PDB file of all heavy atoms in Angstrom:
ATOM      1  N   PHE A 178     150.881  64.275  -8.732  1.00 67.00           N
ATOM      2  CA  PHE A 178     150.169  63.299  -7.905  1.00 67.00           C
ATOM      3  C   PHE A 178     151.127  62.248  -7.369  1.00 67.00           C
ATOM      4  O   PHE A 178     151.081  61.882  -6.187  1.00 67.00           O
ATOM      5  CB  PHE A 178     149.052  62.639  -8.708  1.00 67.00           C
ATOM      6  CG  PHE A 178     148.306  61.579  -7.943  1.00 67.00           C
ATOM      7  CD1 PHE A 178     147.356  61.925  -7.003  1.00 67.00           C
ATOM      8  CD2 PHE A 178     148.564  60.234  -8.159  1.00 67.00           C
ATOM      9  CE1 PHE A 178     146.672  60.959  -6.284  1.00 67.00           C
ATOM     10  CE2 PHE A 178     147.887  59.259  -7.449  1.00 67.00           C
ATOM     11  CZ  PHE A 178     146.936  59.624  -6.514  1.00 67.00           C
ATOM     12  N   LEU A 179     152.006  61.721  -8.243  1.00 65.00           N
ATOM     13  CA  LEU A 179     152.946  60.699  -7.808  1.00 65.00           C
ATOM     14  C   LEU A 179     153.981  61.261  -6.833  1.00 65.00           C
ATOM     15  O   LEU A 179     154.413  60.580  -5.902  1.00 65.00           O
ATOM     16  CB  LEU A 179     153.645  60.074  -9.014  1.00 65.00           C
ATOM     17  CG  LEU A 179     152.783  59.172  -9.900  1.00 65.00           C
ATOM     18  CD1 LEU A 179     153.575  58.678 -11.089  1.00 65.00           C
ATOM     19  CD2 LEU A 179     152.242  57.994  -9.095  1.00 65.00           C
ATOM     20  N   ARG A 180     154.371  62.515  -7.056  1.00 71.00           N
ATOM     21  CA  ARG A 180     155.360  63.112  -6.160  1.00 71.00           C
ATOM     22  C   ARG A 180     154.807  63.222  -4.740  1.00 71.00           C
ATOM     23  O   ARG A 180     155.528  63.017  -3.757  1.00 71.00           O
ATOM     24  CB  ARG A 180     155.758  64.503  -6.669  1.00 71.00           C
ATOM     25  CG  ARG A 180     156.816  65.185  -5.789  1.00 71.00           C
ATOM     26  CD  ARG A 180     157.175  66.549  -6.339  1.00 71.00           C
ATOM     27  NE  ARG A 180     157.808  66.463  -7.640  1.00 71.00           N
ATOM     28  CZ  ARG A 180     159.113  66.204  -7.832  1.00 71.00           C
ATOM     29  NH1 ARG A 180     159.900  66.010  -6.788  1.00 71.00           N
ATOM     30  NH2 ARG A 180     159.605  66.157  -9.045  1.00 71.00           N
ATOM     31  N   TYR A 181     153.527  63.559  -4.639  1.00 72.00           N
ATOM     32  CA  TYR A 181     152.918  63.736  -3.325  1.00 72.00           C
ATOM     33  C   TYR A 181     151.910  62.632  -3.017  1.00 72.00           C
ATOM     34  O   TYR A 181     150.998  62.833  -2.210  1.00 72.00           O
ATOM     35  CB  TYR A 181     152.235  65.100  -3.251  1.00 72.00           C
ATOM     36  CG  TYR A 181     153.185  66.262  -3.476  1.00 72.00           C
ATOM     37  CD1 TYR A 181     153.164  66.968  -4.676  1.00 72.00           C
ATOM     38  CD2 TYR A 181     154.109  66.621  -2.498  1.00 72.00           C
ATOM     39  CE1 TYR A 181     154.044  68.026  -4.893  1.00 72.00           C
ATOM     40  CE2 TYR A 181     154.987  67.670  -2.703  1.00 72.00           C
ATOM     41  CZ  TYR A 181     154.958  68.370  -3.906  1.00 72.00           C
ATOM     42  OH  TYR A 181     155.833  69.395  -4.110  1.00 72.00           O
ATOM     43  N   GLN A 182     152.085  61.460  -3.634  1.00 72.00           N
ATOM     44  CA  GLN A 182     151.112  60.393  -3.453  1.00 72.00           C
ATOM     45  C   GLN A 182     150.996  59.946  -2.004  1.00 72.00           C
ATOM     46  O   GLN A 182     149.926  59.544  -1.544  1.00 72.00           O
ATOM     47  CB  GLN A 182     151.471  59.196  -4.346  1.00 72.00           C
ATOM     48  CG  GLN A 182     152.837  58.562  -4.124  1.00 72.00           C
ATOM     49  CD  GLN A 182     152.816  57.456  -3.081  1.00 72.00           C
ATOM     50  OE1 GLN A 182     151.763  56.912  -2.780  1.00 72.00           O
ATOM     51  NE2 GLN A 182     153.974  57.145  -2.521  1.00 72.00           N
ATOM     52  N   HIS A 183     152.103  60.043  -1.242  1.00 73.00           N
ATOM     53  CA  HIS A 183     152.035  59.625   0.153  1.00 73.00           C
ATOM     54  C   HIS A 183     151.084  60.504   0.952  1.00 73.00           C
ATOM     55  O   HIS A 183     150.461  60.047   1.923  1.00 73.00           O
ATOM     56  CB  HIS A 183     153.439  59.659   0.779  1.00 73.00           C
ATOM     57  CG  HIS A 183     154.106  60.996   0.714  1.00 73.00           C
ATOM     58  ND1 HIS A 183     154.718  61.466  -0.425  1.00 73.00           N
ATOM     59  CD2 HIS A 183     154.233  61.979   1.644  1.00 73.00           C
ATOM     60  CE1 HIS A 183     155.212  62.670  -0.196  1.00 73.00           C
ATOM     61  NE2 HIS A 183     154.923  63.006   1.044  1.00 73.00           N
ATOM     62  N   VAL A 184     150.945  61.783   0.551  1.00 80.00           N
ATOM     63  CA  VAL A 184     150.011  62.673   1.245  1.00 80.00           C
ATOM     64  C   VAL A 184     148.576  62.202   1.024  1.00 80.00           C
ATOM     65  O   VAL A 184     147.783  62.070   1.969  1.00 80.00           O
ATOM     66  CB  VAL A 184     150.166  64.128   0.759  1.00 80.00           C
ATOM     67  CG1 VAL A 184     149.116  65.024   1.417  1.00 80.00           C
ATOM     68  CG2 VAL A 184     151.574  64.640   1.047  1.00 80.00           C
ATOM     69  N   PHE A 185     148.232  61.920  -0.245  1.00 79.00           N
ATOM     70  CA  PHE A 185     146.884  61.453  -0.565  1.00 79.00           C
ATOM     71  C   PHE A 185     146.623  60.085   0.053  1.00 79.00           C
ATOM     72  O   PHE A 185     145.523  59.803   0.542  1.00 79.00           O
ATOM     73  CB  PHE A 185     146.695  61.394  -2.080  1.00 79.00           C
ATOM     74  CG  PHE A 185     146.806  62.720  -2.765  1.00 79.00           C
ATOM     75  CD1 PHE A 185     147.958  63.069  -3.460  1.00 79.00           C
ATOM     76  CD2 PHE A 185     145.769  63.634  -2.707  1.00 79.00           C
ATOM     77  CE1 PHE A 185     148.067  64.296  -4.092  1.00 79.00           C
ATOM     78  CE2 PHE A 185     145.864  64.866  -3.327  1.00 79.00           C
ATOM     79  CZ  PHE A 185     147.018  65.199  -4.017  1.00 79.00           C
ATOM     80  N   VAL A 186     147.647  59.232   0.028  1.00 82.00           N
ATOM     81  CA  VAL A 186     147.500  57.875   0.555  1.00 82.00           C
ATOM     82  C   VAL A 186     147.194  57.896   2.048  1.00 82.00           C
ATOM     83  O   VAL A 186     146.324  57.166   2.537  1.00 82.00           O
ATOM     84  CB  VAL A 186     148.775  57.047   0.269  1.00 82.00           C
ATOM     85  CG1 VAL A 186     148.809  55.790   1.138  1.00 82.00           C
ATOM     86  CG2 VAL A 186     148.829  56.657  -1.200  1.00 82.00           C
ATOM     87  N   PHE A 187     147.888  58.736   2.799  1.00 84.00           N
ATOM     88  CA  PHE A 187     147.680  58.762   4.243  1.00 84.00           C
ATOM     89  C   PHE A 187     146.450  59.584   4.642  1.00 84.00           C
ATOM     90  O   PHE A 187     145.918  59.413   5.737  1.00 84.00           O
ATOM     91  CB  PHE A 187     148.923  59.287   4.946  1.00 84.00           C
ATOM     92  CG  PHE A 187     150.042  58.278   4.991  1.00 84.00           C
ATOM     93  CD1 PHE A 187     151.249  58.515   4.354  1.00 84.00           C
ATOM     94  CD2 PHE A 187     149.870  57.073   5.655  1.00 84.00           C
ATOM     95  CE1 PHE A 187     152.266  57.573   4.380  1.00 84.00           C
ATOM     96  CE2 PHE A 187     150.885  56.124   5.688  1.00 84.00           C
ATOM     97  CZ  PHE A 187     152.088  56.377   5.055  1.00 84.00           C
ATOM     98  N   LEU A 188     145.994  60.470   3.754  1.00 89.00           N
ATOM     99  CA  LEU A 188     144.745  61.177   4.028  1.00 89.00           C
ATOM    100  C   LEU A 188     143.553  60.234   3.919  1.00 89.00           C
ATOM    101  O   LEU A 188     142.560  60.380   4.653  1.00 89.00           O
ATOM    102  CB  LEU A 188     144.569  62.349   3.058  1.00 89.00           C
ATOM    103  CG  LEU A 188     145.276  63.653   3.404  1.00 89.00           C
ATOM    104  CD1 LEU A 188     145.060  64.675   2.285  1.00 89.00           C
ATOM    105  CD2 LEU A 188     144.765  64.207   4.740  1.00 89.00           C
ATOM    106  N   ALA A 189     143.634  59.261   3.009  1.00 88.00           N
ATOM    107  CA  ALA A 189     142.522  58.345   2.769  1.00 88.00           C
ATOM    108  C   ALA A 189     142.120  57.578   4.027  1.00 88.00           C
ATOM    109  O   ALA A 189     140.933  57.568   4.400  1.00 88.00           O
ATOM    110  CB  ALA A 189     142.866  57.391   1.630  1.00 88.00           C
ATOM    111  N   PRO A 190     143.057  56.908   4.746  1.00 90.00           N
ATOM    112  CA  PRO A 190     142.625  56.207   5.960  1.00 90.00           C
ATOM    113  C   PRO A 190     142.154  57.140   7.066  1.00 90.00           C
ATOM    114  O   PRO A 190     141.272  56.769   7.852  1.00 90.00           O
ATOM    115  CB  PRO A 190     143.882  55.428   6.387  1.00 90.00           C
ATOM    116  CG  PRO A 190     145.017  56.126   5.743  1.00 90.00           C
ATOM    117  CD  PRO A 190     144.478  56.656   4.446  1.00 90.00           C
ATOM    118  N   LEU A 191     142.721  58.347   7.124  1.00 92.00           N
ATOM    119  CA  LEU A 191     142.262  59.310   8.129  1.00 92.00           C
ATOM    120  C   LEU A 191     140.812  59.699   7.871  1.00 92.00           C
ATOM    121  O   LEU A 191     139.990  59.761   8.802  1.00 92.00           O
ATOM    122  CB  LEU A 191     143.153  60.548   8.115  1.00 92.00           C
ATOM    123  CG  LEU A 191     144.581  60.374   8.640  1.00 92.00           C
ATOM    124  CD1 LEU A 191     145.364  61.677   8.511  1.00 92.00           C
ATOM    125  CD2 LEU A 191     144.563  59.910  10.096  1.00 92.00           C
ATOM    126  N   LEU A 192     140.478  59.949   6.607  1.00 93.00           N
ATOM    127  CA  LEU A 192     139.101  60.272   6.258  1.00 93.00           C
ATOM    128  C   LEU A 192     138.184  59.079   6.494  1.00 93.00           C
ATOM    129  O   LEU A 192     137.031  59.226   6.921  1.00 93.00           O
ATOM    130  CB  LEU A 192     139.027  60.717   4.789  1.00 93.00           C
ATOM    131  CG  LEU A 192     139.717  62.044   4.463  1.00 93.00           C
ATOM    132  CD1 LEU A 192     139.698  62.297   2.956  1.00 93.00           C
ATOM    133  CD2 LEU A 192     139.045  63.194   5.206  1.00 93.00           C
ATOM    134  N   PHE A 193     138.703  57.876   6.212  1.00 91.00           N
ATOM    135  CA  PHE A 193     137.923  56.658   6.438  1.00 91.00           C
ATOM    136  C   PHE A 193     137.592  56.500   7.919  1.00 91.00           C
ATOM    137  O   PHE A 193     136.442  56.251   8.294  1.00 91.00           O
ATOM    138  CB  PHE A 193     138.700  55.442   5.938  1.00 91.00           C
ATOM    139  CG  PHE A 193     138.057  54.124   6.279  1.00 91.00           C
ATOM    140  CD1 PHE A 193     137.012  53.630   5.515  1.00 91.00           C
ATOM    141  CD2 PHE A 193     138.496  53.380   7.367  1.00 91.00           C
ATOM    142  CE1 PHE A 193     136.412  52.419   5.825  1.00 91.00           C
ATOM    143  CE2 PHE A 193     137.901  52.169   7.688  1.00 91.00           C
ATOM    144  CZ  PHE A 193     136.862  51.682   6.909  1.00 91.00           C
ATOM    145  N   VAL A 194     138.612  56.643   8.776  1.00 93.00           N
ATOM    146  CA  VAL A 194     138.397  56.496  10.217  1.00 93.00           C
ATOM    147  C   VAL A 194     137.430  57.559  10.724  1.00 93.00           C
ATOM    148  O   VAL A 194     136.534  57.270  11.530  1.00 93.00           O
ATOM    149  CB  VAL A 194     139.744  56.580  10.963  1.00 93.00           C
ATOM    150  CG1 VAL A 194     139.505  56.646  12.474  1.00 93.00           C
ATOM    151  CG2 VAL A 194     140.617  55.375  10.623  1.00 93.00           C
ATOM    152  N   ALA A 195     137.584  58.801  10.248  1.00 94.00           N
ATOM    153  CA  ALA A 195     136.675  59.871  10.662  1.00 94.00           C
ATOM    154  C   ALA A 195     135.252  59.576  10.220  1.00 94.00           C
ATOM    155  O   ALA A 195     134.289  59.795  10.972  1.00 94.00           O
ATOM    156  CB  ALA A 195     137.141  61.202  10.076  1.00 94.00           C
ATOM    157  N   GLY A 196     135.099  59.065   9.002  1.00 92.00           N
ATOM    158  CA  GLY A 196     133.776  58.717   8.505  1.00 92.00           C
ATOM    159  C   GLY A 196     133.145  57.585   9.286  1.00 92.00           C
ATOM    160  O   GLY A 196     131.937  57.604   9.574  1.00 92.00           O
ATOM    161  N   VAL A 197     133.958  56.570   9.626  1.00 90.00           N
ATOM    162  CA  VAL A 197     133.453  55.459  10.434  1.00 90.00           C
ATOM    163  C   VAL A 197     132.972  55.947  11.793  1.00 90.00           C
ATOM    164  O   VAL A 197     131.894  55.594  12.269  1.00 90.00           O
ATOM    165  CB  VAL A 197     134.555  54.387  10.610  1.00 90.00           C
ATOM    166  CG1 VAL A 197     134.169  53.388  11.711  1.00 90.00           C
ATOM    167  CG2 VAL A 197     134.787  53.651   9.298  1.00 90.00           C
ATOM    168  N   TYR A 198     133.801  56.792  12.426  1.00 90.00           N
ATOM    169  CA  TYR A 198     133.461  57.300  13.756  1.00 90.00           C
ATOM    170  C   TYR A 198     132.177  58.134  13.728  1.00 90.00           C
ATOM    171  O   TYR A 198     131.356  58.070  14.652  1.00 90.00           O
ATOM    172  CB  TYR A 198     134.607  58.142  14.299  1.00 90.00           C
ATOM    173  CG  TYR A 198     134.382  58.654  15.700  1.00 90.00           C
ATOM    174  CD1 TYR A 198     134.574  57.822  16.807  1.00 90.00           C
ATOM    175  CD2 TYR A 198     133.969  59.965  15.922  1.00 90.00           C
ATOM    176  CE1 TYR A 198     134.350  58.287  18.098  1.00 90.00           C
ATOM    177  CE2 TYR A 198     133.743  60.437  17.209  1.00 90.00           C
ATOM    178  CZ  TYR A 198     133.938  59.595  18.292  1.00 90.00           C
ATOM    179  OH  TYR A 198     133.708  60.056  19.559  1.00 90.00           O
ATOM    180  N   ALA A 199     131.991  58.857  12.631  1.00 89.00           N
ATOM    181  CA  ALA A 199     130.849  59.773  12.563  1.00 89.00           C
ATOM    182  C   ALA A 199     129.570  59.111  12.055  1.00 89.00           C
ATOM    183  O   ALA A 199     128.471  59.450  12.512  1.00 89.00           O
ATOM    184  CB  ALA A 199     131.195  60.964  11.674  1.00 89.00           C
ATOM    185  N   PHE A 200     129.701  58.162  11.120  1.00 88.00           N
ATOM    186  CA  PHE A 200     128.505  57.682  10.429  1.00 88.00           C
ATOM    187  C   PHE A 200     128.260  56.177  10.504  1.00 88.00           C
ATOM    188  O   PHE A 200     127.161  55.724  10.189  1.00 88.00           O
ATOM    189  CB  PHE A 200     128.566  58.084   8.949  1.00 88.00           C
ATOM    190  CG  PHE A 200     128.738  59.566   8.724  1.00 88.00           C
ATOM    191  CD1 PHE A 200     129.937  60.068   8.246  1.00 88.00           C
ATOM    192  CD2 PHE A 200     127.712  60.443   9.005  1.00 88.00           C
ATOM    193  CE1 PHE A 200     130.114  61.428   8.040  1.00 88.00           C
ATOM    194  CE2 PHE A 200     127.863  61.806   8.816  1.00 88.00           C
ATOM    195  CZ  PHE A 200     129.073  62.303   8.334  1.00 88.00           C
ATOM    196  N   ALA A 201     129.250  55.378  10.880  1.00 84.00           N
ATOM    197  CA  ALA A 201     129.074  53.923  10.849  1.00 84.00           C
ATOM    198  C   ALA A 201     128.067  53.467  11.906  1.00 84.00           C
ATOM    199  O   ALA A 201     128.002  54.040  13.001  1.00 84.00           O
ATOM    200  CB  ALA A 201     130.413  53.232  11.070  1.00 84.00           C
ATOM    201  N   PRO A 202     127.274  52.430  11.587  1.00 84.00           N
ATOM    202  CA  PRO A 202     126.316  51.888  12.565  1.00 84.00           C
ATOM    203  C   PRO A 202     127.050  51.109  13.655  1.00 84.00           C
ATOM    204  O   PRO A 202     127.463  49.973  13.453  1.00 84.00           O
ATOM    205  CB  PRO A 202     125.432  50.968  11.713  1.00 84.00           C
ATOM    206  CG  PRO A 202     126.292  50.593  10.541  1.00 84.00           C
ATOM    207  CD  PRO A 202     127.184  51.759  10.277  1.00 84.00           C
ATOM    208  N   THR A 203     127.260  51.719  14.806  1.00 84.00           N
ATOM    209  CA  THR A 203     127.986  51.113  15.918  1.00 84.00           C
ATOM    210  C   THR A 203     127.057  50.938  17.109  1.00 84.00           C
ATOM    211  O   THR A 203     125.965  51.526  17.151  1.00 84.00           O
ATOM    212  CB  THR A 203     129.188  52.002  16.326  1.00 84.00           C
ATOM    213  OG1 THR A 203     128.709  53.317  16.659  1.00 84.00           O
ATOM    214  CG2 THR A 203     130.190  52.111  15.188  1.00 84.00           C
ATOM    215  N   PRO A 204     127.466  50.120  18.097  1.00 82.00           N
ATOM    216  CA  PRO A 204     126.625  49.950  19.296  1.00 82.00           C
ATOM    217  C   PRO A 204     126.315  51.293  19.966  1.00 82.00           C
ATOM    218  O   PRO A 204     127.142  52.209  19.974  1.00 82.00           O
ATOM    219  CB  PRO A 204     127.484  49.069  20.203  1.00 82.00           C
ATOM    220  CG  PRO A 204     128.360  48.314  19.262  1.00 82.00           C
ATOM    221  CD  PRO A 204     128.654  49.263  18.133  1.00 82.00           C
ATOM    222  N   ALA A 205     125.153  51.399  20.541  1.00 80.00           N
ATOM    223  CA  ALA A 205     124.718  52.662  21.147  1.00 80.00           C
ATOM    224  C   ALA A 205     125.623  53.097  22.291  1.00 80.00           C
ATOM    225  O   ALA A 205     125.779  54.292  22.549  1.00 80.00           O
ATOM    226  CB  ALA A 205     123.276  52.527  21.638  1.00 80.00           C
ATOM    227  N   ASP A 206     126.220  52.116  22.993  1.00 82.00           N
ATOM    228  CA  ASP A 206     127.067  52.448  24.136  1.00 82.00           C
ATOM    229  C   ASP A 206     128.553  52.477  23.784  1.00 82.00           C
ATOM    230  O   ASP A 206     129.409  52.360  24.662  1.00 82.00           O
ATOM    231  CB  ASP A 206     126.826  51.451  25.267  1.00 82.00           C
ATOM    232  CG  ASP A 206     127.114  50.014  24.831  1.00 82.00           C
ATOM    233  OD1 ASP A 206     127.241  49.770  23.608  1.00 82.00           O
ATOM    234  OD2 ASP A 206     127.216  49.139  25.712  1.00 82.00           O
TER     235      ASP A 206
END
Side-chain angles (χ1 to χ4, degrees):
F178 178 78
L179 289 177
R180 181 180 296 278
Y181 300 106
Q182 59 89 20
H183 58 281
V184 176
F185 297 103
V186 164
F187 285 117
L188 277 176
L191 290 178
L192 293 174
F193 173 81
V194 171
V197 167
Y198 183 79
F200 304 109
T203 57
D206 59 346

